[in-house]
Amino acid sequence: MTTIGEALISLLERHGVDTVFGIPGVHTVELYRGLAGSKIRHITPRHEQGAAFMADGFARASGKPGVAFVITGPGLTNAITAVAQARADSVPMLVVSGVNATATLGKGFGYLHELPDQRGMMEKVALSSTRVESAAELQPAVDRAFALFRTARPGPVHIEIPLDVMGKPAVSLKPVEMAEPPEPDHAAIVSAARLLAQAVRPVILAGGGASRAEAPLRALAERLDAPVVLTANARGLLHRHPLVVPASPSLKSVRELIDGADLALAVGTEFGPTDYDMYADGGFALPANLVRIDIDAEQLDRHPADVKVEADSAAALEALLAILSDRARPSGTSNGGERAETCRDAARAELARLGPALPSQLEAVEAIRDALPGALIVGDSTQPVYAGNLYYDHDRPGGWFNAATGYGALGYGPPAAIGAALAGPGLPVVCLTGDGGFQFTLPEIAAAVESKAGVVFVVWNNRGYREIEVSMRDVGVEPVGVSPAPPDFCLVAEAYGLSYAKVTNAKELASSLRAATAQPAMIEYVVP
């Protein structure tokens, strides 16, 4: 007899899942029945939040949904912060949990791990939450989740299976149909192409939704001679291209470039304040003439635009190219390369004016890139990551991501980096975290060692929550609670069996990164 739990594993395999992150418990035993005999690798984190953060990093690095198994109640509430981060950053994630026996739900009897309404809780955070109450409901629930990942704006999906259902006999599984995203509306593409063809000083605003559309984005930017401004989640696109502006639209110099354009094409960006108004000064205004491309209809409705194209970024850009290839550019077009270069220079200079330490923080980030070309840099909320989000040109599409934008969860970096490393064995992965944030998820080092995840943990040790201390002082508040004592990271590395190095500048950091051949490894950057 095949159980519902075993059928779940078979369905995940059919949908291409090869890795699951989770901590088994008495409320998920039946979900694990089929794992041992499957081809799916199970990674055991040290906390359920780590499981979901690992699934997030795995998804961003691989382009496939990350999957986490957690127990009823506390297992799921432990993971919910990571689920919220994935929701904010449109990361495909499937969270499968148990739930108490069907007859007890909502009764308040006080069963182990009981919540008043577990599914209702998850419906507020995930894109959807489904309870599987019979064998016939399992495959439709799983298939719907993967169809959403492929055809709409991705994010976290939750499926819960009651304890009295997991072990019941399963029904025969049907062939899995791979859903495809809808084609862009031809009329909308024609309207967008007409406006783009008439623009004299266009600019492109690229967000995370464009991170896997580099080739058509590059071709369209060159066709339009348009500077391309990258939000944090789009960094790595068009590395060192004359038209790229790898700088935050929160910077005045970047806003001036956008304001000087006669048309803006926004591709896969939600215009979130953590990218466009991180200083909350209200200085960013939507361009007067705007064409938007986004796979999410609700997102498109949140801001006015002259033309809205509901589609996958790559498909829409390719459709625009097909039309624009036959159209001449207007005469008198200003040089997009010169506009981009002027903006880059001004943005970099602006960093020093914003904070005297920002250039040295950016120097550390660039040292990582140059020492390990093509690496993934997975960041936490720490000073050099904030600096990089303001201005940094990464050398790999999708290779720079962190939790310092959107939901902004501390402790994200270490487990997400582990997930990313497991998604691409042999790919250099650097976790850039602070001494304060690292302590949120420090035990996940053990999971990195256990799974042989090739991560170099670079710990920016400024002895506390220095960014918060600066913010307090800036508004005249006496700093309180911002100096949690860091551990001795050398002893921590020794305890977990990691190689260790201590550095005090970017040059030493680069040298230590190149020398860190045994991984995982730890490098402590001690900030003066």
Side-chain angles (χ1 to χ4, degrees), residues 178-415:
M178 299 298 180
E180 296 295 334
E183 293 294 320
D185 178 71
H186 181 69
I189 290 293
V190 170
S191 297
R194 183 180 302 113
L195 291 178
L196 290 168
Q198 295 169 352
V200 175
R201 295 171 60 86
V203 66
I204 298 174
L205 311 176
S211 61
R212 297 186 183 275
E214 182 175 46
L217 179 66
R218 179 191 298 267
L220 186 64
E222 292 172 350
R223 177 77 186 109
L224 299 174
D225 193 27
V228 181
V229 176
L230 305 178
T231 68
N233 282 333
R235 298 296 170 80
L237 292 168
L238 279 67
H239 175 56
R240 291 182 176 169
H241 193 285
L243 291 171
V244 75
V245 179
S248 170
S250 294
L251 297 174
K252 292 180 180 179
S253 49
V254 180
R255 290 175 174 178
E256 289 173 0
L257 171 70
I258 298 170
D259 291 342
D262 61 349
L263 180 72
L265 171 63
V267 186
T269 178
E270 64 178 0
F271 292 112
T274 52
D275 273 310
Y276 289 83
D277 193 19
M278 68 174 294
Y279 295 108
D281 60 10
F284 177 79
L286 283 174
N289 299 311
L290 177 63
V291 173
R292 290 195 70 192
I293 296 171
D294 202 289
I295 200 168
D296 184 7
E298 291 185 4
Q299 182 57 247
L300 287 172
D301 287 341
R302 290 186 181 121
H303 298 289
D306 296 87
V307 178
K308 300 176 182 181
V309 181
E310 181 186 347
D312 170 75
S313 294
L317 292 171
E318 288 166 357
L320 285 171
L321 277 167
I323 295 179
L324 289 169
S325 62
D326 297 328
R327 301 198 178 190
R329 294 283 298 127
S331 59
T333 302
S334 64
N335 188 290
E338 290 180 3
R339 288 190 287 145
E341 183 179 16
T342 298
C343 185
R344 286 194 301 269
D345 292 344
R348 185 112 190 189
E350 193 174 339
L351 288 187
R353 296 195 298 273
L354 287 171
L358 283 171
S360 63
Q361 293 162 9
L362 178 57
E363 184 184 16
V365 176
E366 292 176 334
I368 297 173
R369 177 198 63 199
D370 296 342
L372 300 176
L376 299 182
I377 302 180
V378 184
D380 212 85
S381 294
T382 190
Q383 286 181 319
V385 171
Y386 289 127
N389 283 347
L390 282 173
Y391 185 102
Y392 171 59
D393 188 9
H394 195 56
D395 63 351
R396 180 189 185 93
W400 168 267
F401 58 87
N402 56 75
T405 62
Y407 197 60
L410 264 174
Y412 167 87

Side-chain angles (χ1 to χ4, degrees), residues 32 94 369 449 462 514 526:
Y32 280 75
L94 176 61
R369 177 198 63 199
V449 173
N462 55 21
R514 286 190 288 265
V526 179

Side-chain angles (χ1 to χ4, degrees), residues 413-424:
I418 294 168
L422 294 172

